[in-house]
Amino acid sequence: MEVLAVVTALLLAHTLAYLAWQVLSRRRRSRCYLLEYACHRPSDDRKVTTEMAGAVIERNKRLGISEYKFLLKVIVNSGIGEHTYCPRNVLQGREETPTHADALDEMDDFFSGAVADVLSRAGVSATDVDLVVLNVGSFSPEPSLVSRLVHRFGFREDVVAYNLSGMGCSAGLIAVDLARNAMATRTSTSTMALVVTSESCAPNWYVGTDKSMMLGNCLFRCGGAAALLTNDPALRRRAKMELRCLVRANIAASDDAHAAAVHREDADGRLGVSLSKALPKAAVRAFTDNLQRLAPRILPAGELARFAVRHLLLRKLLLFRRSTNKAQAQPKIDFKTGVDHFCLHPGGTAVIEAVRKSLGLTEHDVEPARMTLHRWGNTSASSLWYVLGYMEAKRRLKRGDRVLMVTFGSGFKCNSAYWEVCRDLADADAGAWDDCIHQYPPETLVNPYMDKFGWVNDVQGQGGGFVF
């Protein structure tokens, strides 16, 4: 009996030790560190200056004074400057006849820039990468773009590769989430993942007259980013940030939300992205759903308790306020109690301003998003990495700081990621911002379009063919 008891005790101890090891191993595999990232800066000959934009508009003889006035109003209020980038086929006057090769060339240019740069900056070779996640929303060739990337850089034959498409501007964090989950399922605790994010503008430049689809030409620009992630705890000291949590909200079950941003043809068969009037409402709903699940995971208990008490008191006073017809301000939860830096998707000035007001942020908080929109435009899912690059170039990120990323995308989706800075980044270079960070923020964000094309507002009639 004594021998049996000893054997039983040993087996139990061994089982408990094994289970503890499994839990520890799973926890280590679930870690996600941002080792390095790089944003693509296209060549200067692809910049969209005021004159170049005017020439593109002039070429489209379908446009009349009504469309000119609409475009002028949008671009003047867009928050975009004169240093954003467009695809080469537009520069060459072929926006109405893009080729498959144009789209591939745009991707190859991005691969040669950001992907090669991030590997070089991290001191990592392509053969060190175990997992690749690539997302490009509106271009899905065969072989896939991730296969093209694997071929171009010579990744290992056992590399695990994923290709995402159709996920919109929020796909950057979806790709991070996929990479994190894939790393957690592997038996190794030292997985290296490459996340590649861009958008294809070359075949998607809209040349029609549907105003809901003309917005895209004023906001979307060429760009892209690549990031190296790892779950190896030995690399934590080298890492820039550690992912603490990631929350995704998808309200695509709603008809209005699903149709808020759609890649479609207009009445004349011309392809483009349609942004409906239901988009702001869909964004607010998705944002609210996301924050409701995010707040308990990142905010201190004291702030959550304060908000709960104020909310209960408001409900008790609601009947009284209604009877006296007095408006009652809704209590707001203070996200700044748990967040030091807000990395917001620069989808447009209205998007940035809506998030600023909703979260009670200052102009300093949203400066990185506004400056990114001005310098780079809306580069879709890669925009967040340019915003983070601005923070780093401005030496804002210190060890222990907490960074909240927020993205919006078609579907409709709102995704958020909560990071902790692992080390002081004051010695980091400015990356894609290095040639212009000293110019930001500028004295004014007003672009010169109104000065050069304001005469359009004084013209009467609907005729087309006006020369800019």
Side-chain angles (χ1 to χ4, degrees):
M1 292 295 293
E2 292 183 1
V3 174
L4 180 60
V6 171
V7 172
T8 301
L10 289 174
L11 288 174
L12 180 61
H14 181 271
T15 301
L16 292 175
Y18 176 76
L19 291 175
W21 177 82
Q22 286 280 51
V23 170
L24 179 61
S25 178
R26 189 179 299 112
R27 182 175 299 177
R28 292 181 66 182
R29 292 198 305 272
S30 65
R31 298 281 190 179
C32 182
Y33 303 102
L34 173 63
L35 192 61
E36 187 58 86
Y37 68 97
C39 298
H40 180 45
R41 184 171 65 202
S43 57
D44 287 346
D45 63 334
R46 292 172 58 186
K47 285 187 176 180
V48 184
T49 63
T50 307
E51 291 76 13
M52 184 266 178
V56 173
I57 294 172
E58 179 195 351
R59 287 199 296 262
N60 190 347
K61 302 305 180 183
R62 304 180 189 90
L63 302 181
I65 288 298
S66 175
E67 288 78 20
Y68 286 163
K69 290 181 178 180
F70 173 77
L71 286 171
L72 181 62
K73 179 180 179 180
V74 171
I75 197 67
V76 165
N77 297 311
S78 67
I80 292 179
E82 290 197 286
H83 299 284
T84 60
Y85 304 90
C86 72
R88 294 191 185 279
N89 63 303
V90 176
L91 287 169
Q92 296 167 359
R94 296 187 295 104
E95 60 269 20
E96 298 207 22
T97 57
T99 64
H100 187 70
D102 289 330
L104 290 175
D105 288 345
E106 183 183 14
M107 292 297 101
D108 287 340
D109 187 45
F110 159 58
F111 293 163
S112 298
V115 177
D117 191 22
V118 75
L119 293 174
S120 174
R121 288 161 66 99
V124 172
S125 70
T127 56
D128 295 325
V129 176
D130 306 294
L131 171 70
V132 182
V133 181
L134 179 146
N135 74 270
V136 173
S138 54
F139 180 49
S140 185
E142 189 175 353
S144 66
L145 287 174
V146 74
S147 293
R148 191 177 185 86
L149 184 67
V150 169
H151 175 264
R152 184 181 183 89
F153 286 90
F155 290 99
R156 300 195 314 264
E157 292 184 358
D158 64 343
V159 67
V160 179
Y162 298 93
N163 197 102
L164 302 179
S165 62
M167 305 299 285
C169 296
S170 65
L173 294 185
I174 294 174
V176 169
D177 193 30
L178 175 57
R180 178 189 63 167
N181 291 334
M183 288 192 295
T185 63
R186 294 169 64 89
T187 56
S188 173
T189 57
S190 58
T191 300
M192 185 75 69
L194 174 66
V195 173
V196 181
T197 302
S198 187
E199 187 52 275
S200 177
C201 295
N204 295 297
W205 194 274
Y206 181 62
V207 295
T209 58
D210 187 322
K211 292 181 179 178
S212 72
M213 302 172 74
M214 292 164 65
L215 287 168
N217 290 356
C218 299
L219 294 173
F220 291 110
R221 293 292 185 267
C222 295
L228 278 171
L229 306 176
T230 184
N231 61 355
D232 188 352
L235 295 176
R236 189 183 191 282
R237 291 187 177 182
R238 287 181 53 193
K240 293 190 172 185
M241 300 194 299
E242 179 179 358
L243 182 62
R244 290 302 186 183
C245 74
L246 194 150
V247 175
R248 293 165 59 177
N250 190 333
I251 60 171
S254 164
D255 290 341
D256 288 342
H258 186 260
V262 180
H263 195 212
R264 66 173 178 85
E265 293 179 334
D266 65 10
D268 298 316
R270 298 184 179 90
L271 190 66
V273 176
S274 174
L275 305 176
S276 79
K277 294 181 179 179
L279 193 151
K281 183 178 179 180
V284 169
R285 180 183 167 191
F287 188 41
T288 302
D289 286 356
N290 189 287
L291 293 184
Q292 286 177 346
R293 288 187 283 125
L294 176 69
R297 302 179 64 179
I298 70 172
L299 297 184
E303 175 58 24
L304 295 173
R306 183 196 67 82
F307 175 77
V309 169
R310 292 190 63 188
H311 185 69
L312 288 174
L313 290 175
L314 176 67
R315 292 183 63 182
K316 291 182 179 181
L317 292 173
L318 187 59
L319 291 176
F320 172 77
R321 292 294 184 183
R322 283 180 177 175
S323 64
T324 57
N325 293 322
K326 291 183 178 180
Q328 175 66 44
Q330 294 293 320
K332 285 187 176 182
I333 196 163
D334 186 2
F335 274 84
K336 297 183 75 171
T337 59
V339 180
D340 299 299
H341 308 282
F342 294 85
C343 190
L344 309 177
H345 173 57
T349 54
V351 173
I352 297 171
E353 185 62 16
V355 175
R356 185 190 71 80
K357 290 182 178 179
S358 177
L359 297 180
L361 305 182
T362 65
E363 282 299 324
H364 179 78
D365 293 324
V366 299
E367 178 186 303
R370 290 197 195 280
M371 299 308 110
T372 297
L373 181 63
H374 183 269
R375 173 61 180 85
W376 306 96
N378 181 349
T379 61
S380 189
S382 66
S383 293
L384 277 183
W385 299 105
Y386 289 92
V387 179
L388 183 65
Y390 182 89
M391 294 178 180
E392 191 172 346
K394 284 294 186 180
R395 308 294 190 260
R396 290 192 179 191
L397 304 180
K398 309 297 182 184
R399 181 179 180 181
D401 283 359
R402 300 151 301 178
V403 180
L404 176 63
M405 290 182 169
V406 179
T407 64
F408 300 92
S410 59
F412 198 86
K413 300 180 288 292
C414 176
N415 302 321
S416 60
Y418 187 65
W419 303 81
E420 180 181 335
V421 181
C422 295
R423 57 184 174 86
D424 289 343
L425 300 178
D427 59 341
D429 63 62
W433 288 90
D434 63 356
D435 69 332
C436 61
I437 191 63
H438 61 283
Q439 301 171 1
Y440 283 90
E443 294 182 2
T444 178
L445 293 178
V446 176
N447 57 44
Y449 286 88
M450 183 59 76
D451 290 339
K452 295 185 178 181
F453 304 133
W455 57 265
V456 170
N457 290 327
D458 299 324
V459 177
Q460 302 297 320
Q462 298 293 323
F466 283 82
V467 178
F468 271 70

